[in-house]
Amino acid sequence: MTSRHWASRAHAAAAVVSWCCALNAMWLAFTLLGGGVLGVGPATVTACIVARRHARGETVRLGDFARTWRREFARGTAVVLPILAVAGVLWSNYAAFSALAPGFGPARLGSLAAFVLTLAALVYVGPMYAHYDLPLWRYGPTALRFALRRPHATVLLLLVLTALAFASAAQPILLITVGVGAWLHTSTWLCVRFFAENERRRVQAGGPRRHDPRPVLPAEPLRIL
């Protein structure tokens, strides 16, 4: 490989890192602006929306993030916060059962299994919100269904999340500067490709083709084959 090729690849890698840092900063700022817990949902779905736009080659500015965040505040909270709450309760149950006698082993394992399933739905719900136009109440169940029907994709996403979580725990500065942004960028990029694969399978299986002129927001609900 020529030096020009390596320079091009280094420039592309630097651009991705720079974008992840910017996305991380916007997510943190608007999460805090929304009051912390109430700001997580809209900041997350907004980050997935702009990450999807960025992956398509569009220019994303702070003003774009702010306008989308305001528009999606109520809907983003309604979609993400319930799943986060369930995940938090299940993890608390797992921690409580782990501190008790060995006789609580089945309850501990049950809580852990339920937590992993909830986490599997959570990793899809933001990108799914950015990619599909569904009724609010359907995002959680559809994300869980997709996670169960695509175990290889789900395992890959959970591995990426785990790796970033361990790296951020070892070096907390990563969480503040790039960790969340790297996760939102990577998970959105991967999920969009998983959704495209699902759509190809749907069409190959003889499903109806869409005639919606908006390719980013299909009119018909996601079908998982």
Side-chain angles (χ1 to χ4, degrees):
M1 296 184 182
T2 65
S3 58
R4 180 177 296 179
H5 177 79
W6 282 111
S8 176
R9 297 188 68 173
H11 181 270
V16 171
V17 173
S18 176
W19 161 246
C20 290
C21 289
L23 189 62
N24 194 90
M26 290 187 287
W27 183 88
L28 283 174
F30 283 89
T31 295
L32 294 175
L33 185 62
V37 173
L38 291 179
V40 171
T44 299
V45 299
T46 300
C48 292
I49 291 170
V50 299
R52 187 177 183 280
R53 290 178 54 189
H54 183 270
R56 297 175 63 209
E58 299 181 31
T59 300
V60 177
R61 297 181 175 87
L62 178 61
D64 301 321
F65 196 104
R67 284 188 294 273
T68 305
W69 180 83
R70 286 195 297 269
R71 185 180 69 242
E72 304 294 345
F73 188 89
R75 289 170 55 85
T77 300
V79 168
V80 175
L81 197 58
I83 305 177
L84 275 177
V86 171
V89 170
L90 290 171
W91 181 256
S92 297
N93 288 345
Y94 170 73
F97 288 133
S98 297
L100 298 176
F104 288 89
R108 176 174 58 86
L109 293 177
S111 297
L112 180 60
F115 170 77
V116 172
L117 287 176
T118 305
L119 190 62
L122 189 61
V123 299
Y124 283 108
V125 76
M128 187 171 287
Y129 183 92
H131 194 72
Y132 286 102
D133 189 12
L134 302 175
L136 290 181
W137 63 270
R138 290 199 59 183
Y139 283 105
T142 305
L144 179 58
R145 182 181 169 213
F146 195 96
L148 294 174
R149 294 295 295 271
R150 294 286 182 271
H152 63 287
T154 304
V155 169
L156 176 59
L157 284 168
L158 291 177
L159 286 176
V160 172
L161 178 61
T162 301
L164 288 172
F166 273 108
S168 298
Q171 297 292 334
I173 189 65
L174 293 177
L175 182 63
I176 300 173
T177 57
V178 71
V180 177
W183 162 248
L184 293 169
H185 165 76
T186 304
S187 62
T188 301
W189 187 86
L190 287 171
C191 283
V192 167
R193 279 147 184 79
F194 298 151
F195 299 153
E197 177 192 2
N198 176 75
E199 290 301 303
R200 285 193 296 270
R201 294 190 181 195
R202 182 185 64 82
V203 172
Q204 291 169 2
R209 294 179 179 272
R210 286 191 301 267
H211 299 285
D212 190 343
R214 303 168 301 163
V216 298
L217 289 173
E220 69 181 40
L222 179 69
R223 293 183 58 203
I224 303 164
L225 301 175

